[in-house]
Amino acid sequence: MYLAHRHSRESWDPKTALQGRDRRIFQRVGVKIPCQMDNQLFGLESQASAINLSLGGMSVVAPVTWPEGSQVRVHFDRLVLEGLIVYRKDPTLASQECRYGIKFQKLRLNDLLKLRRILQGNFQGPLAVL
């Protein structure tokens, strides 16, 4: 829990994405959770769907095109989590939705406990990959 709390307060450096290796420290759990994303900078909201989730972030698909580096809020399962878009894959012919990788920012301990409960309900095993 401490590691996830600390990780959510670390700043993200876009140069690390160019290293080409997986730097995740938390287990990704496949889910299908409807959610809502909002971007206060653009003043927009969008329906989305979470496709995987971890203590450090999540992957969602949504029918909007927001740039990497955007601050977003994701609402699902009575949780509202702040995050930063660190990855974006544009729509393809097969899918009209963008795929986003979101790193959680400034998680509160109460929200972290709720998130852990959701993850443990969908995954049996350790949530840290270390």
Side-chain angles (χ1 to χ4, degrees):
M1 295 296 287
Y2 170 75
L3 183 60
H5 187 265
R6 189 182 76 194
H7 179 69
S8 74
R9 279 152 174 69
E10 293 173 355
S11 62
W12 176 70
D13 181 5
K15 294 176 190 170
T16 60
L18 301 175
Q19 293 175 349
R21 60 182 173 81
D22 193 352
R23 295 163 309 283
R24 292 180 186 93
I25 57 175
F26 301 107
Q27 180 68 38
R28 286 189 292 171
V29 176
V31 295
K32 186 158 178 77
I33 301 174
C35 58
Q36 183 174 344
M37 280 187 359
D38 66 67
N39 185 321
Q40 292 183 327
L41 178 65
F42 296 123
L44 300 172
E45 294 180 353
S46 176
Q47 295 299 318
S49 180
I51 55 177
N52 70 48
L53 185 61
S54 78
L55 289 173
M58 66 191 306
S59 181
V60 300
V61 291
V64 292
T65 306
W66 293 338
E68 289 179 359
S70 296
Q71 293 283 341
V72 295
R73 279 189 305 201
V74 182
H75 310 256
F76 68 97
D77 206 29
R78 295 187 311 248
L79 275 172
V80 178
L81 302 172
E82 301 282 331
L84 179 72
I85 296 175
V86 296
Y87 170 81
R88 182 183 91 188
K89 182 177 179 186
D90 290 328
T92 63
L93 294 175
S95 171
Q96 297 301 313
E97 297 182 311
C98 275
R99 182 173 177 163
Y100 296 99
I102 298 172
K103 178 188 179 299
F104 294 138
Q105 300 283 294
K106 299 177 183 156
L107 286 176
R108 296 186 324 235
L109 190 54
N110 188 35
D111 290 336
L112 192 54
L113 291 170
K114 290 177 189 176
L115 181 59
R116 185 178 72 171
R117 246 181 270 129
I118 292 169
L119 288 165
Q120 289 174 330
N122 289 288
F123 180 74
Q124 302 301 316
L127 296 175
V129 179
L130 302 174

